[in-house]
Amino acid sequence: MIAAHDLSPAELAALLHFHADAGVDWLLEETPVDRFAEFAAARPARSAPAQEAAAASRQMERPADRRADAPQRQAATRSAPARGAAAAPAIQQNVAMPDEQAVAAARFAAESARSLAELKTALDGFSGCNLKNSARNTIFTEGDPASAIMVIGPMPDADDDREGLPFAGKTGLLLDRMLSAIGLERGAIMLGNVVPWRPPGNRPPTQAEMDICRPFIERQIALAEPKHLLLLGNFTARFFFGGTGTIHTLRGQWRDVAAGHLILPALASLHPQELLNAPASKSLAWQDLLAFQARIAEG
């Protein structure tokens, strides 16, 4: 292994850029650390208090509690509140809504909104999608509708869900650099996701979940009225274009997308996360960005 002090500044900078493009964002220590050995050594110390507490509890147990009639007395004690005291409130659980009913409710809520602010309120209050039950935040479109430019990704990831914003974390930083390369800024355009809630474990949304979320993203587009759409990722391209093609077959081609009363030109490209996983694809994304820039310049 080559030590850092043996590299020239240019070589060290190139190495750091290589690791950054590969998605490495944490540095390791100089010497290896056996975490399994540390855990095994600390385990007896952690278990000792629990064992002492259990032993003390057994010593304090009264002999009368082990009598033959103990089960009957305990059952009588448990039933006493039902006769003399108010029963404990039942735990409320979210009741699953049938898919067809949820889609209809989503369509009604979306179409009833007359502004992006009203739509955000409607989405925050919507409970017909199970994805919302496991997500920390509802991720809504943000940015400037006056830009007439909208960039749409698939669904929130862990960083988005934690920060409550679309395209957060490493993917957001890379997207910012991609936009800056063609003269755009995050705050000066619209950013959003097809699905507003992070699926558990970042799994792909089901068809029913996509159908429930469709009215909301289409209404976001209709209310923002962009002139150009940039669709990022395989899921997003399939969602709007249809079919089963991959992003490599769907990217780089302008296609029309319907959203409410609007028919908009849309261009698909690779998602920043795909570029972090496969930096060699950056040249393809750059071609798409240049095509998007040229179309914007045309008006």
Side-chain angles (χ1 to χ4, degrees):
M1 182 179 67
I2 301 175
H5 58 73
D6 293 331
L7 299 176
S8 67
E11 291 173 333
L12 183 58
L15 180 61
L16 292 174
H17 281 296
F18 170 78
H19 287 305
D21 289 338
V24 177
D25 56 359
W26 288 93
L27 298 179
L28 301 180
E29 299 180 5
E30 293 282 346
T31 58
V33 178
D34 190 342
R35 301 298 181 189
F36 294 100
E38 288 185 353
F39 178 80
R43 187 173 182 178
R46 289 195 300 268
S47 60
Q51 294 175 353
E52 293 175 358
S57 177
R58 288 193 297 270
Q59 292 175 358
M60 294 176 62
E61 183 180 359
R62 294 179 301 172
D65 291 336
R66 293 192 293 269
R67 292 184 309 180
D69 60 342
Q72 289 80 359
R73 292 185 297 103
Q74 293 172 1
T77 302
R78 288 194 297 267
S79 61
R83 295 191 300 269
I91 299 176
Q92 296 183 354
Q93 297 181 349
N94 292 323
V95 180
M97 183 184 299
D99 295 338
E100 297 80 5
Q101 183 179 347
V103 172
R107 187 177 298 111
F108 176 80
E111 293 177 355
S112 298
R114 293 294 176 261
S115 66
L116 288 172
E118 290 183 8
L119 184 60
K120 184 179 186 304
T121 300
L123 189 59
D124 288 337
F126 184 75
S127 59
C129 185
N130 289 332
L131 291 179
K132 188 175 184 179
N133 297 332
S134 59
R136 179 180 300 181
N137 283 298
T138 297
I139 311 302
F140 191 73
T141 297
E142 67 162 12
D144 183 10
S147 66
I149 299 171
M150 193 168 184
V151 178
I152 303 176
M155 72 284 296
D157 60 14
D159 291 325
D160 301 343
D161 191 35
R162 180 170 51 253
E163 298 186 23
L165 299 172
F167 295 101
K170 293 185 297 183
T171 58
L173 293 175
L174 180 54
L175 177 63
D176 290 347
R177 293 197 295 267
M178 294 166 62
L179 296 174
S180 177
I182 57 173
L184 300 177
E185 296 182 2
R186 169 187 287 260
I189 63 174
M190 295 288 290
L191 296 176
N193 286 309
V194 171
V195 177
W197 303 288
R198 180 198 178 200
N202 291 336
R203 65 164 174 79
T206 65
Q207 184 61 52
E209 291 165 348
M210 289 188 286
D211 294 340
I212 294 171
C213 294
R214 182 178 290 275
F216 290 109
I217 184 59
E218 290 185 348
R219 188 59 175 164
Q220 288 178 52
I221 297 172
L223 291 173
E225 296 186 333
K227 295 181 179 179
H228 305 95
L229 290 177
L230 180 61
L231 311 179
L232 299 179
N234 190 68
F235 175 87
T236 313
R238 287 182 179 178
F239 182 88
F240 285 102
F241 295 160
T244 58
T246 67
I247 188 59
H248 290 279
T249 61
L250 298 175
R251 55 157 290 272
Q253 304 176 27
W254 285 96
R255 307 185 187 208
D256 288 337
V257 168
H261 62 284
L262 301 177
I263 302 295
L264 306 171
L267 181 72
S269 186
L270 289 89
H271 192 278
Q273 184 60 54
E274 295 168 328
L275 301 180
L276 291 174
N277 297 337
S281 298
K282 288 183 177 180
S283 60
L284 300 177
W286 177 238
Q287 295 174 16
D288 299 336
L289 290 174
L290 291 178
F292 192 72
Q293 182 187 40
R295 188 65 174 260
I296 295 174
E298 294 174 1

